[in-house]
Amino acid sequence: MALRIPTISSSHGLASSPAPISTTCRPAVLAVGSSWAAAAVQKRSLLLAMTASETRGVAPLRSSGIETTSVGAAAEAVTGQVTEVNKDTFWPIVEAAGDKVVVLDMYTEWCGPCKMMAPKFQEMSEKNLDVVFLKLDCNQDNKPLAKELGIKVVPTFKILKGGKVVKEVTGAKIEELAHAIDTVKSG
């Protein structure tokens, strides 16, 4: 089985996002009635049914050893932890936060500096109990929101107050992020 390994640019920009790993051992067109095709369709249907039922509530996730929360149907601004959001849940959570400061970590799974910042971002969420901490994987599914928020590099941290972006920190700069959060909280 041959695999195509994606090339990753060190610039960490969205334009250099890796292509999905694909295999070249399966034919592109399957014969109707093929048992492999039928099994694949059945497996996909089961997976879709499981995914739909699991995303109705809040489910804990593990990402880089850091516990986060994934938001399902109910948009809730939770403090004291990092909440994983997507293009559909981000704005409802920001709205639910009201006057609280919201900090969004925009990252990708393949970014080294993003992985380095994850535990530090988690610690910040546990210390700043009056701030809502969110994280957004800037993958293909969330690209419209990343573009709307004007992301150019990862990691990028957007600080919002009253539903508007008021500060931005780019790169793995924990001290600069902490200072920006304090500035927004006091202002």
Side-chain angles (χ1 to χ4, degrees):
M1 173 166 73
L3 292 177
R4 188 183 78 210
I5 306 297
T7 57
I8 300 173
S9 167
S10 62
S11 68
H12 298 291
L14 281 182
S16 62
S17 296
I21 295 175
S22 64
T23 61
T24 57
C25 64
R26 299 243 187 251
V29 179
L30 296 171
V32 177
S34 164
S35 62
W36 182 84
V41 169
Q42 183 179 16
K43 184 177 178 183
R44 183 165 191 251
S45 297
L46 179 61
L47 183 61
L48 288 173
M50 286 173 42
T51 303
S53 66
E54 290 172 356
T55 58
R56 288 195 182 104
V58 175
L61 294 177
R62 293 297 252 171
S63 174
S64 306
I66 305 299
E67 188 162 333
T68 61
T69 301
S70 176
V71 177
E76 183 180 350
V78 180
T79 59
Q81 67 185 27
V82 178
T83 304
E84 180 88 36
V85 294
N86 61 40
K87 64 181 175 25
D88 299 321
T89 59
F90 173 70
W91 287 115
I93 290 174
V94 169
E95 186 176 309
D99 290 336
K100 290 181 186 165
V101 173
V102 177
V103 182
L104 174 65
D105 173 7
M106 300 174 77
Y107 73 100
T108 61
E109 288 291 326
W110 50 268
C111 167
C114 298
K115 290 177 184 179
M116 184 180 76
M117 286 295 288
K120 296 173 183 176
F121 193 68
Q122 177 68 32
E123 286 176 27
M124 288 181 116
S125 74
E126 294 166 1
K127 291 178 182 174
N128 292 283
L129 299 177
D130 55 340
V131 177
V132 177
F133 286 82
L134 308 175
K135 62 190 284 179
L136 174 74
D137 186 355
C138 295
N139 59 21
Q140 200 62 26
D141 292 339
N142 294 320
K143 194 172 182 177
L145 177 58
K147 199 172 192 179
E148 176 185 341
L149 293 170
I151 188 168
K152 293 182 174 94
V153 298
V154 293
T156 292
F157 300 90
K158 301 281 186 171
I159 304 173
L160 298 92
K161 187 158 187 173
K164 295 182 187 210
V165 176
V166 294
K167 285 219 178 268
E168 175 181 302
V169 175
T170 58
K173 303 171 191 163
I174 195 69
E175 293 83 16
E176 189 176 326
L177 178 60
H179 179 61
I181 291 169
D182 289 341
T183 299
V184 173
K185 282 172 39 174
S186 64

